[in-house]
Amino acid sequence: MDDKEISLNLFVAYDLTYNKTNVRDYTNIRPDLAEQLDSAQFIGAKDITEETERLVHNNVLNDEEARRIFGKGYAGQRNAISYFAIKQGMDYLIFLDDDEYPVAVTKTRKTAIWGGQSVLTEHLKHIAQADITNGYHCGYISPIPYIKFNETLPEEHFRFFIEAISNDVINWDSIKATMERGGVTYADTDILTSEIAVEVPETNHAKFITGANLCINLTNPSRVFPFYNPPGARGEDTFLSTLLTDRKVLRIPCYAFHDGFSTYKNILEGVLPIQLKFISADDEHVVNRFYKACIGWIRYKPLLLFITQRDEYDQKIMEMREQLIKTLPEICAYFDEPKFMNILKELDKYDKNAKKHYHEFAETQKNWAKIMEHFS
């Protein structure tokens, strides 16, 4: 970056079990880009193991506590990045996923219109006055494909299904509008032309954020929370959202394009399509991604309800179960995929373990606080 007072450091957490990748897939940075970095650190399983052994040796954590912080899953990867960034004295940490790009796409005309986004500078402009800054996303955010409703799957029943498995942020009207656009979310031009950051309100005991295009203020490590997700689930950003009651969270006017289906891999080389592809339910890859998203959602919703609506937990779970019993046979028939019935089994499993997962969630915060105290 041009500002000589700013040091730009890269942290990459990678998992070699993902898509049969190798280390070079993550460490191969173009020389001209590498020259602009002050440092780069690549964090694999070996690095995390060595660091956890060091924490155990120094009596900061025991083995179980270390595994809880840096275990398998997205939360463990994010915690590893946060840990190494704090250890190396970083002031701010911006999370960007490997399937998103610093561009925004709109469709104010018949064709898509693209514009670059100053993601780094926009976060740096606001983060000193906040605990967390979070930008917006456009592109393929939703895994829900276009559904042509019919007698097999009426619209009202699909709405019941989505509301049963998703979190409180999901709004059926916006989901339906996105589906009708072929699964594409376009950037809001009012936000693109805005200079104003707005504070994220607390809704149902959570200040909802996303896990990327996300910046965390590390200048006071005692104010930093860890990520957590139940085993095999997602939702690490959602669970962090439930801890932010007394934290200042700003939504800043910058977008990232999320390529959830790995369709546009040459955007940064200037290959910008004038029409974005329609995400159709007759594509096997699309249906499989939707199924995995449904499983991920249903695995974390019981814990989310236990945290945010504990007094109504049993009633909410009963309503979810009734909705799924009614709609899942139709979902299976529509997609010609019987495995969607597994969603009900996963609900039962994660409902039974909600208290256990809440205990792990609370213990993760305590264990992380030990590390932050060690750093201080």
Side-chain angles (χ1 to χ4, degrees):
M1 299 178 68
D2 293 335
D3 193 329
K4 300 300 182 182
E5 295 183 359
I6 295 176
S7 172
L8 186 60
N9 304 271
L10 176 68
F11 296 84
V12 179
Y14 61 87
D15 181 359
L16 298 184
T17 64
Y18 176 74
N19 269 3
K20 300 178 181 179
T21 50
N22 59 63
V23 173
R24 186 153 179 79
D25 291 326
Y26 303 95
T27 61
N28 186 22
I29 301 177
R30 279 173 23 196
D32 59 320
L33 295 178
E35 289 178 0
Q36 300 182 46
L37 299 173
D38 290 278
S39 71
Q41 183 163 3
F42 302 94
I43 306 163
K46 180 180 178 183
D47 304 285
I48 294 173
T49 298
E50 290 176 351
E51 201 62 33
T52 55
E53 288 175 350
R54 189 173 293 113
L55 289 170
V56 172
H57 177 75
N58 291 331
N59 295 315
V60 179
L61 301 176
N62 61 37
D63 284 323
E64 181 182 358
E65 293 169 335
R67 285 195 299 272
R68 189 176 290 127
I69 292 288
F70 301 111
K72 294 181 180 179
Y74 289 95
Q77 295 283 77
R78 293 188 188 280
N79 287 339
I81 289 179
S82 299
Y83 171 87
F84 281 99
I86 292 171
K87 184 180 181 181
Q88 295 191 22
M90 300 297 118
D91 292 318
Y92 312 113
L93 175 62
I94 299 177
F95 281 98
L96 293 169
D97 286 346
D98 59 1
D99 58 358
E100 60 184 19
Y101 306 99
V103 293
V105 61
T106 63
K107 199 173 185 183
T108 51
R109 301 181 180 179
K110 291 183 179 180
T111 60
I113 300 174
W114 296 83
Q117 295 288 282
S118 300
V119 174
L120 293 179
T121 54
E122 198 65 33
H123 280 287
L124 290 176
K125 186 190 301 183
H126 298 283
I127 188 59
Q129 292 79 45
D131 293 287
I132 290 177
T133 53
N134 191 198
Y136 295 82
H137 285 87
C138 57
Y140 298 99
I141 304 171
S142 170
I144 304 173
Y146 171 72
I147 304 292
K148 188 175 182 180
F149 299 113
N150 54 26
E151 292 182 358
T152 302
L153 183 59
E155 178 182 334
E156 185 180 17
H157 291 189
F158 189 67
R159 175 171 67 86
F160 289 158
F161 171 70
I162 294 299
E163 290 175 346
I165 65 175
S166 58
N167 65 42
D168 292 338
V169 178
I170 295 292
N171 175 281
W172 174 248
D173 291 335
S174 64
I175 285 289
K176 183 182 176 183
T178 301
M179 287 168 51
E180 291 173 346
R181 291 191 301 266
V184 182
T185 297
Y186 290 99
D188 186 328
T189 53
D190 290 338
I191 293 171
L192 288 173
T193 56
S194 173
E195 296 290 332
I196 301 173
V198 296
E199 193 155 355
V200 175
E202 185 163 5
T203 304
N204 206 7
H205 306 290
K207 294 183 179 181
F208 284 102
I209 57 173
T210 58
N213 198 1
L214 175 76
C215 184
I216 299 178
N217 190 328
L218 306 180
T219 55
N220 182 356
S222 67
R223 292 182 65 82
V224 178
F225 288 113
F227 291 91
Y228 172 82
N229 54 251
R234 288 297 306 264
E236 71 279 0
D237 48 359
T238 302
F239 293 116
L240 178 58
S241 299
T242 67
L243 301 174
L244 303 178
T245 294
D246 64 347
R247 299 294 190 264
K248 186 173 182 179
V249 183
L250 295 179
R251 186 82 66 201
I252 62 172
C254 72
Y255 274 90
F257 179 85
H258 183 248
D259 185 18
F261 294 91
S262 300
T263 304
Y264 303 105
K265 298 182 179 181
N266 298 308
I267 283 179
L268 295 184
E269 278 69 50
V271 181
L272 305 175
I274 60 174
Q275 298 289 346
L276 293 176
K277 293 181 179 179
F278 207 84
I279 302 303
S280 174
D282 59 6
D283 184 310
E284 183 180 350
H285 172 65
V286 170
V287 173
N288 193 49
R289 184 177 187 273
F290 176 51
Y291 168 73
K292 289 181 178 179
C294 292
I295 292 293
W297 285 340
I298 204 67
R299 284 175 173 174
Y300 84 72
K301 189 163 183 181
L303 176 58
L304 180 61
L305 290 173
F306 191 82
I307 294 171
T308 61
Q309 301 180 58
R310 194 170 308 175
D311 292 342
E312 303 173 66
Y313 178 81
D314 291 335
Q315 177 66 26
K316 293 284 186 181
I317 291 292
M318 183 181 71
E319 291 172 357
M320 285 173 60
R321 189 172 283 114
E322 290 174 351
Q323 287 175 292
L324 291 176
I325 290 172
K326 181 177 181 179
T327 60
L328 278 175
E330 296 176 339
I331 298 291
C332 292
Y334 184 88
F335 291 105
D336 192 24
E337 185 52 81
K339 68 183 179 183
F340 277 93
M341 289 302 298
N342 292 334
I343 293 171
L344 192 56
K345 297 177 183 178
E346 294 297 316
L347 172 61
D348 292 339
K349 177 181 176 181
Y350 281 77
D351 169 32
K352 291 176 182 177
N353 285 289
K355 290 183 180 179
K356 174 186 175 183
H357 293 154
Y358 179 75
H359 172 74
E360 292 176 354
F361 177 56
E363 288 299 305
T364 298
Q365 296 164 53
K366 294 177 183 177
N367 302 155
W368 181 262
K370 290 182 181 180
I371 300 176
M372 297 303 101
E373 184 178 352
H374 174 66
F375 281 144
S376 67

